[in-house]
Amino acid sequence: MAMMGTAEVAVAEPVSDFVDGRIYRDAEEMRQINAAAAEKGYLLVCDRCKNLSEPIVAVIAVANSDDAFGFCGDCYRKISEDFLGHVV
């Protein structure tokens, strides 16, 4: 149970279930991630559009798990717009 002002709000899920991640979007860091995958014979593909020709520009790595999601530039912008509004 959580208190917001004077109203009580029931919390359905424990706080530990929320996703806590890191976004890798530094250009050099992304080149290193793509190069490391290529050395092992992997091609990183956007998890949203699956376009093989677009490079991965951002990776969201979920803390406390092995989950990570890569996005091309267009999809990363679209996802950013969903959360932040129009991005110029």
Side-chain angles (χ1 to χ4, degrees), residues 6-88:
T6 58
E8 290 184 12
V9 178
V11 179
E13 300 177 38
V15 175
S16 63
D17 287 346
F18 285 98
V19 172
D20 179 24
R22 175 171 178 209
I23 298 174
Y24 297 86
R25 59 182 176 208
D26 177 78
E28 181 56 33
E29 189 173 29
M30 288 310 309
R31 275 193 279 284
Q32 291 173 3
I33 290 171
N34 281 298
E39 284 178 14
K40 294 183 179 186
Y42 295 107
L43 172 64
L44 298 180
V45 178
C46 179
D47 282 300
R48 187 170 181 269
C49 71
K50 309 294 188 220
N51 187 338
L52 296 173
S53 64
E54 290 295 320
I56 299 300
V57 300
V59 174
I60 298 174
V62 181
N64 301 323
S65 78
D66 292 332
D67 295 334
F69 304 92
F71 300 100
C72 67
D74 191 43
C75 288
Y76 182 64
R77 277 189 295 281
K78 288 176 183 172
I79 290 169
S80 297
E81 286 177 5
D82 289 346
F83 290 104
L84 303 174
H86 182 67
V87 178
V88 179

